[in-house]
Amino acid sequence: MYEGAVQNLIDELGRLPGVGPKSAQRIAFHLLSAETADVKRLVNALVEVKERVRFCAICGNVAEETECRICRDPRRDAAVICVVEESKDVVAIERTREFRGRYHVLGGAISPIEGVGPDDLRIKELMTRLSDGQITELILATDPNLEGEATATYLARLVKPMGLKVTRLASGLPVGGDLEYADEVTLGRAFEGRRSLEF
Amino acid sequence: MTVTRGWERGRAVAHPPPGIGDNGGVSLYRDEGVVLRTRKLGEADRIVTLLTRRTGLVRAVGKGVRRTKSRFGARLEPFTHVDLQLYTGRTLDVITQADTLHAYGTPIVADYARYTAGTAMLETAEKIVIVEKDPALRQFLLLIGGLRTLGGNEHDPRLVLDAYLLRSLAVAGYAPALDECARCGSHGIQRSFAVHAGGAVCSVCRPAGSASPAPDTLRLMVALLRGDWAGADASEERHRTECSGLVAAYLQWHLENGIRSLRLVERS
């Protein structure tokens, strides 16, 4: 045990995900030996993130104003919505530079075993967005695991009566991987979604 | 005279020279099991809870499972029946190899009602076999059978779930009395059902607060417990709903923890 302030810092750092007691101690002593200006910058960044960042009123993504950067951008295609589980997924898709539509962040996936049902996600907000008639395609980009698939199935069934085009991200072999190591389910999906090579 | 040190002597007796392929003290074991639940661990790992054929309930770590280039891929997803190789770790075992035997998840997840019923089955299996590494072969076989039936889409998912729950309780020693009175043992379909008394009760033994289900509901429960699918499929919607309610109440009474998934089972 250290004295007052140092132990306090170690305890607080130890509450962060993935930071154990030894790591917390290492970070604490690093901060102790760092320049005061550097530490102040870190403190400001922490305070600012809590004060300025909120969730976009339209899509639920992290934003610094009432609406996020993507929802405010008039160049984005307003007719296509890509549904993702978390804000992290928006960043992952943005990195591909393939998608020019808008997003909807659900805030998780349906997982009855963890007690998360459809009412715990931002599904009602999505239905309100879809009902304005502007949207023509819904892309379901939930994780390709069991909960993600179940959420996609649920949404597809819910949206079906609206007559929208509903698509699901393709599943298949990772680029740079070996066929022999692919599991049966993934390989099966890759076969199901194969495309013809026409030139 | 040569002096043999204690450790050399002990070693010569306890451990003969290892043969080819002998991996000595590494405790590797093989088993097959159904993935019940997965939890994220650290950066890319998962803690996987499995119900296995020979070892019973096992909690093991699948390393790097969440990476797209993982060797395990979709094999360690819930509902998958896998052939596994594990080694015994200090607190959790570690999965070293996994091969799919049956991917029950694919047909189950394609239908939301089936998915919610399926997750309730998995959660019940985990809660009813409480002790880890205590063989529970009958529970394992029952779960495999239940998932196969659910995926086959031959019957209403709710009926499959209720049949599984009733039989799983029966295997665990909590079979409800259905065609006799739970207190006095008089035969025949009774008028009341008391969860805390252990099943159906006659009008004489009926404790306060008993439910009064339709006789056809109790007949449906008997059919589900015995595996009479023709009888169960012919049942009416209202009796199915009543049956689900009674089974859920009976299950929650006997398990210490509630089954969270039951709240989200779709009752269409």
Side-chain angles (χ1 to χ4, degrees), chain B residues 16-261:
Chain B
I20 296 167
D22 181 5
N23 57 8
V26 180
S27 47
L28 274 174
Y29 66 97
R30 237 344 247 284
D31 211 333
E32 57 172 283
V34 180
V35 180
L36 301 181
R37 178 201 282 255
T38 61
R39 272 210 189 103
K40 287 180 182 175
L41 175 72
E43 184 100 338
D45 306 343
R46 271 214 171 106
I47 296 178
V48 183
T49 310
L50 300 130
L51 182 60
T52 60
R53 184 184 280 272
R54 285 184 291 277
T55 325
L57 199 69
V58 172
R59 295 207 315 141
V61 179
K63 296 211 165 169
V65 182
R66 281 150 63 202
R67 292 188 213 279
T68 44
K69 282 191 186 176
S70 162
R71 286 172 299 135
F72 300 123
R75 289 178 187 135
L76 295 179
E77 284 282 291
F79 297 114
T80 319
H81 180 195
V82 276
D83 189 359
L84 296 158
Q85 189 175 56
L86 306 105
Y87 74 79
T88 317
R90 245 177 280 164
T91 44
L92 296 168
D93 295 354
V94 180
I95 300 170
T96 54
Q97 283 175 38
D99 253 324
T100 313
L101 294 174
H102 300 280
Y104 295 116
T106 314
I108 289 174
V109 83
D111 181 281
Y112 188 68
R114 258 182 274 161
Y115 168 71
T116 50
T119 39
M121 285 165 68
L122 296 185
E123 196 183 344
T124 306
E126 188 191 352
K127 299 253 166 87
I128 223 163
V129 186
I130 320 161
V131 187
E132 281 183 35
K133 298 208 170 169
D134 187 21
L137 179 64
R138 289 182 67 195
Q139 289 287 1
F140 170 78
L141 294 174
L142 193 64
L143 182 64
I144 292 276
L147 293 179
R148 190 184 301 128
T149 314
L150 191 65
N153 201 20
E154 294 152 31
H155 311 286
D156 181 348
R158 275 186 308 161
L159 290 182
V160 180
L161 171 64
D162 289 339
Y164 170 78
L165 296 180
L166 283 170
R167 289 186 216 173
S168 172
L169 280 164
V171 169
Y174 304 122
L178 294 173
D179 50 2
E180 60 189 356
C181 172
R183 288 208 166 152
C184 68
S186 60
H187 287 285
I189 292 289
Q190 307 298 333
R191 291 238 170 146
S192 308
F193 190 91
V195 168
H196 52 282
V201 276
C202 66
S203 46
V204 180
C205 302
R206 183 183 195 277
S210 304
S212 305
D216 277 350
T217 304
L218 287 174
R219 280 190 201 101
L220 170 61
M221 288 170 80
V222 173
L224 290 174
L225 189 59
R226 292 188 184 152
D228 168 19
W229 282 109
D233 285 337
S235 61
E236 284 177 46
E237 184 59 39
R238 60 196 168 103
H239 297 137
R240 291 183 189 186
T241 310
E242 199 170 36
C243 166
S244 297
L246 290 180
V247 172
Y250 192 78
L251 179 76
Q252 308 267 25
W253 173 265
H254 284 284
L255 295 186
E256 278 184 24
N257 304 313
I259 303 289
R260 283 204 276 193
S261 325

Side-chain angles (χ1 to χ4, degrees), chain A residues 170-173 186-197:
Chain A
S171 291
L173 301 168
T186 310
L187 197 53
R189 291 276 188 84
F191 260 98
E192 223 173 81
R194 69 187 186 277
R195 60 200 164 86
S196 59
L197 285 174

Side-chain angles (χ1 to χ4, degrees), chain A residues 37-82:
Chain A
D38 290 341
V39 177
K40 281 212 167 123
R41 220 177 29 249
L42 176 67
V43 170
N44 284 341
L46 288 173
V47 173
E48 207 173 282
V49 83
K50 278 315 282 180
E51 279 177 358
R52 284 181 45 189
V53 175
R54 56 186 103 175
F55 294 99
C56 171
I58 299 174
C59 71
N61 192 5
V62 283
E64 293 204 358
E65 291 169 39
T66 36
E67 288 170 17
C68 72
R69 189 176 45 82
I70 297 169
C71 288
R72 273 182 288 136
D73 189 347
R75 291 168 300 174
R76 307 287 299 217
D77 187 356
V80 188
I81 288 186
C82 178

Side-chain angles (χ1 to χ4, degrees), chain A residues 25 28 40 71 85 100 108 124-125 147 152 158 185 194:
Chain A
Q25 188 177 310
K40 281 212 167 123
C71 288
E85 288 181 18
R100 298 299 304 157
K124 239 179 266 157
E125 288 87 341
E147 278 112 27
L158 204 64
V185 180
R194 69 187 186 277

